[in-house]
Amino acid sequence: MCTTTSSGRKGRPRSAEADAAILEATRVALVELGWSKLTLGDVAARAGVAKTTLYRRWAGKNELVVDAVAVLFDELTLPDLGSLAADVEGVVLQFAALLERPETRTALMAVVAESTRDEALRVRIRASIVDRQKRLVLLGRERAQARGELPAEASTSAAAETADLIFDVVAGAVVHRSLVSAEPVDAAWARRFTALLLGGLSAASQG
């Protein structure tokens, strides 16, 4: 049975082991070589696969690197810590720890920089990373609503807009502090940020 590749083409059944090796090799090569020197040939050699194997799965370097980053972000989880505040603080610290890893930092900054010149790459980043990680926002909100900490939204469209805004606020704040300001995202910062997110400026100033 044939499977559809990430570029939309059909080919041989994919090997999970080969995919994992290729994505790991991509992250290692990106840290060692940087975006400009990374080539699919180098990745194939590191992963121990034929170069044609990569081209059957990915149309080019942009798509490959985005998928290599997306796998790392899929490691994020949202354990039920008993309250909305604890859940938010927990995922913020997880996210920050992920951004401290050289392979995550290098790959994310590389694809974001390239995406400023490539609309197709921006679309792929949204689909492969942003939209997939909104699952954490949806899960956290469902738990908070079940606990009575948050009201239900008035409509499906309002719920979607709220999820988008929450994701943008959390992801934007953590990425900016970690990668732009190069400041630590520790437990104290996560607590202050969560107070601001949940209670507004007055609550944050009292914390």
Side-chain angles (χ1 to χ4, degrees), residues 7-204:
S7 61
R9 295 169 295 182
K10 290 188 175 181
R12 299 176 184 174
R14 294 181 66 147
S15 161
E17 293 79 7
D19 280 0
I22 291 167
L23 296 177
E24 172 65 20
T26 301
R27 293 189 292 269
V28 172
L30 194 60
V31 172
E32 292 183 4
L33 303 175
W35 178 275
S36 62
K37 294 183 180 179
L38 184 146
T39 66
L40 267 63
D42 181 75
V43 170
R46 290 169 184 262
V49 301
K51 190 174 179 179
T52 53
T53 300
L54 269 72
Y55 282 110
R56 283 199 299 267
R57 290 160 163 78
W58 293 277
K61 180 166 69 174
N62 290 358
E63 293 85 353
L64 175 60
V65 174
V66 169
D67 284 3
V69 178
V71 168
L72 297 177
F73 280 93
D74 285 342
E75 296 176 11
L76 293 173
T77 61
L78 189 66
D80 189 345
L81 299 178
S83 71
L84 178 57
D87 287 352
V88 172
E89 289 178 30
V91 79
V92 163
L93 293 173
Q94 267 194 76
F95 186 25
L98 180 61
L99 293 178
E100 288 179 0
R101 292 162 57 174
E103 64 270 30
T104 310
R105 184 186 307 113
T106 303
L108 181 61
M109 294 186 77
V111 295
V112 168
E114 288 298 313
S115 73
T116 61
R117 299 183 291 272
D118 188 335
E119 173 60 24
L121 182 56
R122 286 197 295 274
V123 171
R124 191 177 184 90
I125 290 171
R126 286 196 296 268
S128 298
I129 299 176
V130 175
D131 289 346
R132 274 174 23 193
Q133 296 315 312
K134 285 179 183 175
R135 63 188 168 83
L136 300 176
V137 173
L138 299 175
L139 176 58
R141 184 177 60 189
E142 288 173 3
R143 286 180 183 165
Q145 289 171 341
R147 298 187 194 109
E149 295 175 291
L150 289 177
E153 283 79 6
S155 65
T156 302
S157 61
E161 290 174 0
T162 300
D164 288 347
L165 182 57
I166 293 171
F167 181 88
D168 289 345
V169 170
V170 174
V174 177
V175 168
H176 186 277
R177 185 166 177 86
S178 298
L179 302 185
V180 179
S181 298
E183 295 289 342
V185 177
D186 53 18
W189 186 89
R191 186 166 54 252
R192 292 194 302 272
F193 170 75
T194 301
L196 175 61
L197 178 67
L198 301 185
L201 291 173
S202 60

